[in-house]
Amino acid sequence: MRNSTDHTAAAQGTSASASVKTVVVPAAGMGTRFLPATKTVPKELLPVVDTPGIELIAEEAAACGAQRLAVVVAPNKEEIMRHFGEFEELQKIMNRRGKKEQADKVARAGELIEAVAVTQDEPLGLGHAVGCAEQALGSDEDAVAVMLPDDLVLPAGVMDKMVQVRERLGGSVLCAFNVSRDEVSNYGVFDVVDADASFDGFDVLQVRGMVEKPAVEDAPSTLVATGRYLLDRGIFDALRRIEPGKGGELQLTDAIELMISEGHPVHVVVHEGKRHDLGNPGGYIPANVDFGLHDEKYGPALYPALKKIIADFEAEHPELINEN
Ligand code: UTP
């Protein structure tokens, strides 16, 4: 059994890739689906077992060889950056009390990767948030990775595959996840054709377009977008040229669609594995159960506790037993 961090990138032997220097982490959204918690606590700091989602992303970014995390934050969400700061006094107290493991946990976020803040003054959408991060890129960077802290993609390492695809096919590379047909209406769905190249051990398809939350019968595939993007630097120019959509928000997918319409190659790596959506309580709770069960400290007691909760629930609702 692994501990909670071992469930993530650093422990899974992902190889370093030189091609990603900056990972943009948009974290300036309002987190309304987590109210009332998000009145005072940014959703990116809510823990999966004991580790905030933003730190799990920092681990994934560091494991793929990135040097810098450009965290897009809202003016009232500075607490997120504090998480990457120094806590010398707290570390000292933990060490003095012989709590070495806790002291290491205090230090880890700051040691993983250099985190820099980029401010998004108003929550004008994911596309706008990514656009704000252009200033954080070095002049030598011709591509940028974007990782959404809401999305846990397991096992980690998909960005390494995406880098391989960009190295061979150029353009931009996204990550797709296969869902059952009746789930497609919750997601952005890819319209894909076969790619001109094949890759060892994973599927790659070329993207013709995307349809946001289609009706089941209109969905062009069952491959849906997840929160990992490797985008050509041209994305920033495309973001300046698109119009705001619903709610005045700039959509990242609209900018990607614009690039596709202008002949920019976009491919998807089809991720084989698990995904947890930490952006709403319905996805956050199973993520905690999954990480908790794999945690060497909490897993052994959690397993029988969960079985009991389920048994009690089924006794209350016998009608559900045959349904599932
Ligand atoms: P979401 O739409 O899932 O986040 O954006 P949200 O807006 O915080 O969620 P709700 O709907 O209010 O509950 C996906 C990611 O993009 C960031 C969010 O912080 C989240 O990590 N984001 C979204 C921004 O950085 N800026 C924005 O304007 C919108």
Side-chain angles (χ1 to χ4, degrees):
M1 224 180 256
R2 298 183 290 253
N3 66 31
S4 65
T5 16
D6 284 344
H7 206 43
T8 66
Q12 298 192 14
T14 50
S15 62
S17 66
S19 324
V20 172
K21 279 195 181 158
T22 301
V23 172
V24 175
V25 183
M30 292 173 70
T32 49
R33 286 166 292 171
F34 267 106
L35 284 169
T38 45
K39 284 193 298 183
T40 53
V41 183
K43 86 176 158 184
E44 296 79 6
L45 290 183
L46 296 176
V48 180
V49 183
D50 59 7
T51 306
I54 191 97
E55 185 171 322
L56 298 176
I57 286 290
E59 281 188 33
E60 183 178 337
C64 87
Q67 295 164 7
R68 191 183 311 117
L69 208 61
V71 187
V72 185
V73 287
N76 62 346
K77 289 177 83 178
E78 296 92 10
E79 286 300 306
I80 294 180
M81 297 317 292
R82 282 229 322 128
H83 188 72
F84 292 95
E86 286 186 12
F87 289 80
E88 266 179 45
E89 203 47 42
L90 182 56
Q91 251 180 288
K92 262 193 224 157
I93 295 170
M94 291 298 115
N95 279 323
R96 216 182 301 136
R97 293 182 182 176
K99 296 187 183 235
K100 165 97 176 65
E101 192 192 334
Q102 306 305 104
D104 289 347
K105 285 187 179 189
V106 172
R108 191 174 56 212
E111 291 169 354
L112 278 170
I113 192 165
E114 181 201 0
V116 295
V118 172
T119 306
Q120 184 190 25
D121 288 323
E122 275 182 85
L124 295 176
L126 177 59
H128 183 261
V130 171
C132 293
E134 185 176 14
Q135 46 171 300
L137 258 66
S139 54
D140 59 333
E141 292 180 76
D142 56 8
V144 62
V146 177
M147 295 185 182
L148 302 193
D150 278 1
D151 240 332
L152 293 184
V153 180
L154 301 166
V158 73
M159 191 54 77
D160 290 323
K161 296 175 185 163
M162 293 162 70
V163 167
Q164 282 179 47
V165 175
R166 177 169 154 92
E167 274 167 359
R168 262 179 61 196
L169 301 178
S172 297
V173 189
L174 315 179
C175 175
F177 198 78
N178 216 341
V179 297
S180 61
R181 194 151 264 281
D182 54 349
E183 288 177 283
V184 287
S185 307
N186 302 320
Y187 298 100
V189 182
F190 290 115
D191 180 4
V192 285
V193 290
D194 286 343
D196 289 337
S198 62
F199 289 77
D200 241 3
F202 57 96
D203 288 338
V204 174
L205 297 158
Q206 179 158 7
V207 181
R208 285 196 305 200
M210 281 184 77
V211 188
E212 265 314 309
K213 302 192 169 85
V216 170
E217 57 280 12
D218 298 331
S221 75
T222 53
L223 292 172
V224 304
T226 69
R228 299 293 177 275
Y229 308 79
L230 179 60
L231 300 168
D232 188 272
R233 197 176 179 127
I235 192 71
F236 296 111
D237 177 53
L239 282 165
R240 279 187 282 273
R241 290 187 291 129
I242 57 167
E243 295 294 326
K246 225 180 13 186
E249 294 195 350
L250 278 189
Q251 303 297 342
L252 186 60
T253 49
D254 286 350
I256 296 171
E257 290 256 27
L258 174 63
M259 290 170 85
I260 294 173
S261 74
E262 293 174 344
H264 180 75
V266 175
H267 292 86
V268 284
V269 167
V270 180
H271 177 68
E272 300 286 343
K274 275 192 269 191
R275 173 201 195 181
H276 288 298
D277 179 0
L278 303 182
N280 68 86
Y284 177 80
I285 295 166
N288 269 286
V289 169
D290 190 13
F291 273 61
L293 284 170
H294 286 88
D295 189 288
E296 61 187 12
K297 190 154 150 199
Y298 303 113
L302 187 57
Y303 182 54
L306 285 172
K307 286 213 295 197
K308 173 147 190 351
I309 291 169
I310 288 173
D312 289 350
F313 185 75
E314 286 179 345
E316 277 171 43
H317 299 279
E319 75 284 2
L320 293 178
I321 294 176
N322 291 333
E323 267 179 36
N324 292 308

